[in-house]
Amino acid sequence: MDSDFLLVILRRLVRSHPDVRIILMSATVQADRFAAYFDECPILNVTGGRNYPVEANFLEDTIEKLGYTPGTGRGALALRAAQK
């Protein structure tokens, strides 16, 4: 909800100060919708560059790797042992 409010403020700012530029960077944004919202502003697509691998980690797997057992009080000890 905060981001929605910010977008309204930014659009008003750009309309009243045409010299202001906004740079939005996102891998998942729907650029056409943002361009339409900001009065058909230009879209720049940057291809190439550096790509970094993304690894998905799930809470259940992390708990198992740490040897954490809920309710036993051994969680902190297991975490310290795993860090050594």
Side-chain angles (χ1 to χ4, degrees), residues 1-32:
M1 186 161 123
D2 294 333
S3 60
D4 295 342
F5 178 72
L6 179 61
L7 289 174
V8 171
I9 298 299
L10 286 173
R11 183 167 66 171
R12 289 182 183 174
L13 177 69
V14 168
R15 287 180 175 170
S16 63
H17 296 84
D19 57 321
V20 171
R21 302 290 182 252
I22 297 173
I23 299 174
L24 174 67
M25 298 177 2
S26 174
T28 59
V29 72
Q30 294 177 350
D32 295 336

Side-chain angles (χ1 to χ4, degrees), residues 33-53:
R33 291 183 73 183
F34 274 90
Y37 183 76
F38 285 103
D39 301 325
E40 300 304 326
C41 67
I43 299 173
L44 302 175
N45 290 310
V46 178
T47 57
R50 295 182 182 162
N51 293 317
Y52 296 97

